Amino acid sequence: MSLLQQRIDAARAEERAALIAYLPVGYPDVDASIAAMVAAVEGGADGGGADVVEIGVPYSDPGMDGPVIQQAVDVAVRAGVGMRDVLRAVEAVAAAGAVPVVMSYWNPVERYGVERFAADLAAAGGAGAITPDLIPDEAGAWLAASEAAGLDRVFLVAPSSTDARLRSTVRACRGFVYAASTMGVTGTRATVGGAAERLVARTREAIADVGTALPVCVGLGVSDGNQAAQVAGFADGVIVGSAYVRTLLDGEGPDGVRRLSADLARGVRQRAAVRPSHA
Amino acid sequence: MTTSPVRPPQPRAVPAAPAWPDATGHFGVFGGRFVPEALIAALDELTEAYEAMRVDPVFLDEFAVLQRDYIGRPSVITEVPRFAEHCGGARVLLKREDLNHTGSHKINNVLGQALLTKRIGKTRVIAETGAGQHGVATATAAALMGLSCTVYMGEEDTRRQALNVARMRLLGAEVIPVTTGSRTLKDAINEAFRDWVTNVETTNYVFGTVAGPHPFPAMVRDFQRVIGDEAREQVLDREGRLPDAVLACVGGGSNAIGIFTAFVPDEGVRLVGLEAAGDGVETGRHAATITGGSPGVLHGARSYLLQDENGQTIESHSISAGLDYPGVGPEHSHLHDIGRAEYRPVTDAEAMEAFALLCRTEGIIPAIESAHALAGAMRLGRELGPDTLLLVNLSGRGDKDVETASRWFGLGDRTEVDPGPGLDTDQQPTEGAVAGDEAVAGRDAGEEA
């Protein structure tokens, strides 16, 4: 059974959405980034923190990321942060009690070696990988390697995806399906619009069509507890990235990350109380 | 714009397209689509529209009229005997893409993509640019066709290439300085992709070279192959035989693919791509992607690229703006791997020697990009010996490079333009950028090579 799906299903059993926190390895440095990931898992004293940490592999050309994540990742790239550091973060997140999943653009994985990456990630306790610029059509080597290593593989769907592509992408996913809420890049937004809810509904139809039971998690644009609650009203998991990175860029350190996690964790538990806006 | 009463030129018989890419955009193991899912629908739409357009007689007529009446095609072939004296007795023919409107081959592709943009009902185009050359071409086509145009350009480059920024603005384009990453061409490409994924409903991305995700490498090739289609016929008419070798500079590789494509089936014709070796491949300061790089994924396709042990893109270096790119089109990687084309490095010094030589022997100032191909011809001619026939793609003119050349040769005091890195994936020179051709002729550079 998929580590990611188990954890997200456990959240569902508590009648809440799962909280997935993205942080890149190496900002402001490797140790501090790992401390921030652990802080995201710890969250507030009263409530929960992140269920899953999406551990970002620094990449020189992050075409799907907005300015906040670009700025942090640029520092890590210049410092020469590599897959060895990423695997250390995976071990730390697992030890902190959350499920670690790696988020990587494809070239760093290919350069490290696809099979070697899968084997080392599994050995470090990682659940699998999210690959924002790898579509299943090009993923032959990764499908085979992740299968052999028992790893989850999370592909993205977007509002522009056709129904046929939703079905083929869902068929290739293991762990969960990453629904990109809007057409655009990562970054906080004032509202996470109705496009996300429609996409989740369409993705669930595709999941039913292909006869699996994958959770659908929503990323892009969520920055606080209220938005998290909105998204938790229609998705199985809420992915937050830029808002976490913003706290580090603002120098708030692990305490800031902890506060944000606590706020977001409250949000994903209020799903019954807040209906999604249809802005 | 074209109007219906204009009679299109009669189509010529052209050799068949190569057997690649496959239906999903692969050239052997290279190419494909490594992009966010959000862009797949737009790439599919573009592919479908392009496939329909390329066999649509109405489009083909409209495009042929534009090629003749706006670009000035066909471009001529010029034999350069005084230059050839330095090429080991080989005869050298130049395909004169430098005589096109806007001064290079870039316009061939941009007009095709702008027509396609109108056909799919989009009203805005975006482009990446380094020195501003592809940006100027795109702004030109946008002005011609009434499209709104935004060009992304590294912040450093907007300062160094202020003249081209002004040109684009004169043509009605918006120029956005890119302040992320290394602030070079590759970051301008990233930013253009980010714009595209956000505004894809109204916007088409006019990509400048034969790189990027499918269908760009195949589509840009098809718009550029007119160079080789014309040249093959012109050489046959003139000489009654094919050339022994066809040479072109390679950054992203669109002018090279443009002249190679018609000759790919002619197995006796050597295809030679000249990459920018900067200070020398062994110094690490170069842009010779196939010579000094390794296969990987960048900007939406698998191809050779310059990368470090972590898979991070390495910044390239070349005196030539248009060749200063850490990637290369996937079809070149394929032609290299199957042995159909060979790729050789040419240093800044070798290219500038050839640049000066063409100026002084033939009265033609080439783009520094094209000077790499000329340097390749000097070397290959000496290897092949007398009576061999070399066809060189003179992809652009060198007006834009006068300031850089003045600095290189230590001429004059006008050194306000810094010939730094981070320019187009290929070049399209600035017309009338700097007056002062006399500066280049002021010193005896490279004649005795």
Side-chain angles (χ1 to χ4, degrees), chain B residues 378-399:
Chain B
M378 290 168 68
R379 210 189 312 157
L380 188 65
R382 290 173 197 142
E383 289 169 24
L384 297 181
D387 303 324
T388 50
L389 186 61
L390 307 182
L391 173 66
V392 178
N393 195 12
L394 197 73
S395 55
R397 63 173 170 249
D399 308 44

Side-chain angles (χ1 to χ4, degrees), chain B residues 8 11 45 48 78-79 84 180 253 263 272 298 331 346 381 387:
Chain B
E45 176 189 42
E48 201 176 305
T78 303
E79 179 156 18
T180 55
F263 294 97
V272 184
L298 175 66
E331 189 166 3
V346 170
D387 303 324

Side-chain angles (χ1 to χ4, degrees), chain A residues 2 13 37 72 101 107 115 122 124 133 136 139 150 171 180 189 194 223-224 227 234 236 260 262 265-266 268 272 276:
Chain A
S2 146
M37 291 174 196
V101 59
N107 199 51
E115 286 180 20
D133 63 347
R171 219 174 265 125
R189 288 176 178 81
S223 60
D224 63 24
Q227 286 179 329
F234 59 83
D236 301 307
L260 178 61
R266 267 192 300 277
V268 299

Side-chain angles (χ1 to χ4, degrees), chain B residues 13-329:
Chain B
V14 295
W20 49 76
D22 66 14
T24 50
H26 297 91
F27 302 83
V29 300
F30 299 105
R33 285 179 177 171
F34 293 82
V35 294
E37 167 66 20
L39 282 177
I40 297 296
L43 292 169
D44 279 345
E45 176 189 42
L46 206 53
T47 306
E48 201 176 305
Y50 174 61
E51 291 300 328
M53 197 168 102
R54 63 185 295 195
V55 294
D56 175 353
V58 175
F59 162 74
L60 292 174
D61 282 355
E62 189 178 5
F63 192 44
V65 168
L66 277 175
Q67 287 181 326
R68 182 190 64 194
D69 297 353
Y70 194 73
I71 302 178
R73 304 210 70 90
S75 64
V76 300
I77 292 268
T78 303
E79 179 156 18
V80 285
R82 278 172 40 77
F83 176 81
E85 286 171 17
H86 302 264
C87 301
R91 293 177 55 211
V92 177
L93 301 175
L94 303 183
K95 177 62 171 168
R96 300 292 304 278
E97 292 298 296
D98 61 318
L99 299 178
N100 294 341
H101 176 50
T102 73
S104 86
H105 72 291
K106 284 292 189 192
I107 193 76
N108 300 329
N109 163 49
V110 158
L111 287 180
Q113 291 202 52
L115 280 179
L116 185 59
T117 303
K118 289 182 65 176
R119 187 184 178 109
I120 58 180
K122 294 186 178 178
T123 55
R124 175 174 178 262
V125 289
I126 56 174
E128 81 290 351
T129 199
Q133 317 298 0
H134 173 59
V136 168
T138 306
T140 299
L144 177 68
M145 303 199 191
L147 298 165
S148 148
C149 178
T150 299
V151 178
Y152 289 93
M153 187 171 184
E155 190 187 41
E156 272 302 300
D157 297 330
T158 61
R159 263 199 299 277
R160 287 195 296 233
Q161 309 289 336
L163 189 85
N164 266 347
V165 174
R167 267 182 106 195
M168 288 184 266
R169 289 182 175 148
L170 280 174
L171 291 161
E174 174 192 25
V175 180
I176 299 183
V178 174
T179 58
T180 55
S182 57
R183 304 180 185 208
T184 62
L185 172 61
K186 76 175 184 64
D187 305 284
I189 293 176
N190 293 335
E191 209 54 32
F193 272 114
R194 292 181 187 116
D195 180 315
W196 201 28
V197 74
T198 308
N199 300 299
V200 67
E201 279 189 22
T202 61
T203 299
N204 190 30
Y205 185 2
V206 175
F207 205 73
T209 190
V210 288
H214 180 63
F216 290 117
M219 181 169 69
V220 177
R221 172 193 71 194
D222 291 351
F223 288 139
Q224 291 291 3
R225 67 168 294 166
V226 65
I227 303 170
D229 290 342
E230 286 176 4
R232 189 175 182 281
E233 188 177 271
Q234 287 166 322
V235 174
L236 280 174
D237 280 353
R238 182 192 160 102
E239 304 292 333
R241 57 170 289 210
L242 291 170
D244 296 295
V246 177
L247 299 97
C249 63
V250 177
S254 69
N255 92 81
I257 284 292
I259 199 163
F260 285 175
T261 296
F263 294 97
V264 166
D266 301 319
E267 285 177 15
V269 179
R270 282 174 74 169
L271 304 178
V272 184
L274 288 311
E275 297 193 303
D279 294 344
V281 174
E282 70 288 351
T283 67
R285 290 178 51 82
H286 66 88
T289 309
I290 291 178
T291 307
S294 54
V297 169
L298 175 66
H299 292 149
R302 177 174 287 117
S303 194
Y304 280 80
L305 66 133
L306 303 181
Q307 58 181 328
D308 70 12
E309 72 280 6
N310 292 322
Q312 313 295 356
T313 310
I314 295 174
E315 275 182 57
S316 55
H317 294 275
S318 169
I319 190 171
S320 148
L323 305 182
D324 200 353
Y325 178 58
V328 67

Side-chain angles (χ1 to χ4, degrees), chain A residues 20-41:
Chain A
I20 301 172
Y22 163 89
L23 282 160
V25 180
Y27 185 82
D29 58 48
V30 173
D31 287 341
S33 67
I34 291 175
M37 291 174 196
V38 172
V41 176

